[in-house]
Amino acid sequence: MNDVMQVVAKGWYRLYYGLILLFAIAIVGAGIATRAMPDFAQYQVAYGLSDITLIVAGILVLYCLTAYWIINRTSPPGAMLGASMLLTLLIFQGLILSAPGQGSWAYVGAWLVTVLFSGMFGLAMVTGSVFFAAVYVLFLANAPGGWLTPHAIAMLAGSAVIAIISYFFWRSKFLDPANRQLTQLTGMLQSNQEQSAILIQSIADGVIVTDNEGKIGLINPAAAAMTEWGVTEATGLDVHLVAKLKKEDNSELSLDENPFTLVLETKKQLSQNYVLTGQHEKQQHISLVISPVAVPGGGIGGAVAIMHDISSAKAAEQQRAEFISTASHEMRTPVAAIEGYLALALNEKVSTIDSRARGYLEKAHSSTKHLGQLFQDLLTSAKAEDGRLSNHPAVVEMGEFTEQLAEDLRFGAQKKGLASEFLVGTNGAIDATSDSESTPKKVIKPLYYVYVDPDRLREVITNLFDNAVKYTDNGKVSLGLTGNNEVVQLYIRDTGPGIPAEDIPHLFQKFYRVDNSATRTIGGTGLGLFICRKIIELYHGRIWVESTIGQGSSFFINLPRLDTTKAQMLQKSPGTSPSAPASPPS
């Protein structure tokens, strides 16, 4: 590598920078003093403080305080300080030339000290310092009546000797490529850390960083304001003490349900809405996203939490829900009356109408029933969103429950010419396609206990089964039950047209309907699946769909399973509410 590009440790450059800045300031100060105060005027000539020397010294001061720091951001420190050394040598030449007797030994000594530092800027600067001394000597030799003085000889010879010593001295202190790269990386890391700190402090959302024990290592001002803790006060405390969280319905969270605990234990990201209670009991709804911080080796070094205040959005949503609830409730009465009168008009025992009028009334009656169902679904969805949905959970044995439900639902499939079946586990199947009273195939069924409201769960399964029948033109619809030690899984599988992949993530949103020719002609409110999701979430469950175009769709429901002992305990003490994760069965 070229010596010009070599550098030494930053400490040497800082030392040299400080020395030349002090030297330049001293020269400028002395020059101003000898000109401003008559008592010191005699020193102006004695110390060679000429106007040119003061101008160069002033340029050096300005360079060190301004231009050097601007240029240093994009250039090596050695190159920038090398320029200041050239200015320093010019100042010394001016001092030596202006001082009585064509120089003083003090300035020559200072010159040689400056040459000693030239080696840390590489071979080019070492050569340049000797060149400056040679120019000075040649200038004296060619001056009128001038010849080589002891000062000139000392400068030239001393500069040559000191330059050689300087080169070999600093050569041993040059950083090798690996050390230079490490130094650059360290500087970049420090710069990035500073930038990250500035960004975190500037983020409008709350940011909390914890270690793997849940201790707060960083909290930004936004998070401090949301939790009503001071930044310094909260740092080092347990995050559960600072960020006190409750469920959206304001019910308490157990330690196992706390999102910080779950993320640190499962090492998986969590995103959910909570109620945050501040130190002074201020409450606000927040959207919380917590991500684990991975470290080499597969472990985690802590977690990063982002808190976004959604109180205003929640209030607006609450107002919308109340309006929908009130409007739906008030409109149900006149719609029900209209539906009743239309039913009477269609009753041959009550009224006599011609076939053409009957057709009109039948269409009006169908539309009125659809409108009534829309109002009912709107009312149910509003209650589901604000937690007012009626819910009376009990211990339910899913084998018996789903078998009876499958029997009730099979007539809807048969009416459309579809086969239906009830599957238990992975091997057994109960044939529900026949109209005869033949005995179904017997299988050994495990006891799958869950803690749900049977009416609400029946509403979900019926909705999914009816949808499967509605969108399937031929083939069959299957209702299945399986599970493992932790989860009971229900699934409704059809042989319909399938759902496009881009629609699946939005399928359980309000008013979302798949827009294709197969579904556009089929009525619906767009709220059924949204209501199903809300009901399943009441029981800490999960609902999702898997589908392939042209091969049908499968809707899955996972519910936490109760073991026999816990089920018996809950049957004796129905007020207890279990809490369990609903992970997929193996």
Side-chain angles (χ1 to χ4, degrees):
M1 180 184 293
N2 194 325
D3 285 351
V4 176
M5 298 300 293
Q6 290 179 316
V7 295
V8 296
K10 284 187 176 181
W12 290 108
Y13 293 119
R14 295 191 183 112
L15 173 62
Y16 179 74
Y17 174 82
L19 290 175
I20 62 169
L21 181 58
L22 289 175
F23 165 71
I25 292 174
I27 295 297
V28 173
I32 294 173
T34 57
R35 284 161 174 74
M37 294 180 285
D39 294 339
F40 294 96
Q42 56 181 322
Y43 298 108
Q44 179 179 341
V45 177
Y47 291 100
L49 301 174
S50 66
D51 292 340
I52 295 178
T53 302
L54 292 182
I55 292 173
V56 177
I59 293 173
L60 179 57
V61 172
L62 291 175
Y63 176 79
C64 290
L65 295 179
T66 56
Y68 167 73
W69 292 106
I70 295 173
I71 303 173
N72 190 46
R73 294 177 181 175
T74 57
S75 302
M80 295 303 98
L81 281 176
S84 67
M85 169 165 276
L86 296 177
L87 291 174
T88 305
L89 293 175
L90 285 174
I91 293 172
F92 277 122
Q93 283 193 351
L95 291 170
I96 295 171
L97 288 171
S98 301
Q102 296 179 330
S104 70
W105 290 108
Y107 288 145
V108 172
W111 168 285
L112 296 177
V113 172
T114 305
V115 174
L116 181 62
F117 278 95
S118 66
M120 67 180 182
F121 302 109
L123 182 59
M125 193 58 68
V126 171
T127 306
S129 62
V130 178
F131 174 77
F132 265 63
V135 169
Y136 170 72
V137 173
L138 290 174
F139 177 80
L140 290 180
N142 290 281
W147 188 240
L148 295 180
T149 64
H151 295 87
I153 296 173
M155 275 189 63
L156 183 57
S159 295
V161 174
I162 296 299
I164 295 172
I165 295 173
S166 173
Y167 175 75
F168 287 104
F169 173 79
W170 291 108
R171 185 178 180 84
S172 64
K173 297 186 177 298
F174 284 147
L175 298 177
D176 58 35
N179 286 334
R180 287 188 62 196
Q181 187 177 24
L182 179 60
T183 301
Q184 292 172 354
L185 290 174
T186 302
M188 291 172 59
L189 179 60
Q190 291 174 346
S191 176
N192 289 338
Q193 288 174 337
E194 291 173 358
Q195 292 175 6
S196 299
I198 292 172
L199 289 174
I200 290 174
Q201 299 303 318
S202 303
I203 291 176
D205 289 338
V207 179
I208 296 178
V209 180
T210 74
D211 60 18
N212 54 11
E213 295 181 353
K215 304 295 183 184
I216 296 177
L218 184 149
I219 178 171
N220 73 339
M226 294 171 73
T227 59
E228 299 184 300
W229 285 77
V231 172
T232 306
E233 187 182 13
T235 302
L237 295 180
D238 191 296
V239 69
H240 301 97
L241 177 63
V242 176
K244 292 184 287 187
L245 301 172
K246 293 182 180 180
K247 297 178 182 178
E248 282 192 278
D249 59 3
N250 223 24
S251 60
E252 297 293 333
L253 282 170
S254 66
L255 183 61
D256 293 338
E257 294 175 313
N258 190 284
F260 287 96
T261 303
L262 290 173
V263 169
L264 292 174
E265 288 181 352
T266 62
K267 304 178 182 179
K268 295 180 180 178
Q269 186 185 74
L270 183 145
S271 177
Q272 202 164 328
N273 295 342
Y274 294 93
V275 175
L276 174 67
T277 303
Q279 186 179 13
H280 304 301
E281 302 304 320
K282 173 188 174 184
Q283 288 193 337
Q284 53 194 311
H285 289 269
I286 64 168
S287 170
L288 180 65
V289 179
I290 308 178
S291 303
V293 179
V295 296
I300 61 171
V304 178
I306 308 295
M307 301 186 298
H308 179 66
D309 188 354
I310 58 171
S311 299
S312 299
K314 273 288 181 182
E317 186 178 330
Q318 179 69 21
Q319 290 178 346
R320 289 195 299 270
E322 289 177 358
F323 171 77
I324 292 173
S325 178
T326 302
S328 301
H329 182 76
E330 293 298 327
M331 291 179 181
R332 284 175 61 198
T333 302
V335 169
I338 295 171
E339 184 180 349
Y341 284 125
L342 288 172
L344 288 174
L346 290 169
N347 191 333
E348 295 179 354
K349 297 180 180 180
V350 176
S351 61
T352 303
I353 55 176
D354 59 29
S355 58
R356 187 175 182 181
R358 178 175 294 278
Y360 293 150
L361 290 175
E362 285 177 347
K363 291 178 180 178
H365 188 251
S366 175
S367 298
T368 305
K369 287 178 65 177
H370 177 74
L371 186 60
Q373 184 62 48
L374 174 60
F375 288 144
Q376 179 61 47
D377 286 349
L378 282 171
L379 186 60
T380 303
S381 66
K383 289 181 178 180
E385 284 186 294
D386 59 20
R388 294 184 293 112
L389 197 63
S390 61
N391 177 40
H392 305 286
V395 176
V396 177
E397 200 288 296
M398 291 302 296
E400 181 180 353
F401 177 82
T402 49
E403 182 177 358
Q404 179 59 50
L405 187 56
E407 181 67 20
D408 296 338
L409 293 173
R410 70 185 178 92
F411 296 106
Q414 290 177 348
K415 187 177 179 180
K416 195 175 179 181
L418 301 173
S420 68
E421 61 181 0
F422 174 48
L423 306 173
V424 180
T426 55
N427 298 319
I430 296 176
D431 186 5
T433 61
S434 174
D435 288 328
S436 66
E437 298 296 327
S438 58
T439 303
K441 182 179 179 181
K442 295 185 179 294
V443 297
I444 299 175
K445 296 179 291 184
L447 297 176
Y448 292 118
Y449 289 108
V450 295
Y451 191 72
V452 298
D453 184 331
D455 292 333
R456 289 297 178 196
L457 186 59
R458 182 180 292 106
E459 180 181 347
V460 172
I461 298 173
T462 300
N463 188 302
L464 296 176
F465 193 92
D466 288 346
N467 276 351
V469 171
K470 188 187 301 183
Y471 293 106
T472 302
D473 293 329
N474 53 69
K476 65 180 178 180
V477 178
S478 305
L479 172 60
L481 174 67
T482 185
N484 58 22
N485 292 333
E486 297 180 353
V487 170
V488 174
Q489 185 176 91
L490 293 160
Y491 59 88
I492 292 89
R493 183 177 293 127
D494 62 56
T495 57
I499 303 170
E502 62 270 18
D503 290 311
I504 289 178
H506 310 287
L507 208 57
F508 294 93
Q509 297 175 358
K510 283 193 297 185
F511 301 110
Y512 189 86
R513 301 192 67 207
V514 177
D515 185 18
N516 59 38
S517 57
T519 62
R520 200 175 295 120
T521 56
I522 299 175
T525 64
L527 288 168
L529 292 179
F530 171 77
I531 295 171
C532 289
R533 176 172 67 85
K534 284 295 184 179
I535 292 174
I536 295 303
E537 288 175 352
L538 281 175
Y539 312 116
H540 308 287
R542 178 182 171 224
I543 182 171
W544 76 99
V545 62
E546 296 175 2
S547 182
T548 303
I549 294 294
Q551 298 182 22
S553 306
S554 297
F555 284 80
F556 296 90
I557 299 172
N558 277 6
L559 293 168
R561 182 179 182 179
L562 302 176
D563 58 35
T564 304
T565 303
K566 200 166 190 176
Q568 292 174 349
M569 181 186 70
L570 286 172
Q571 287 172 334
K572 294 177 182 178
S573 305
T576 307
S577 178
S579 177
S583 57
S586 57

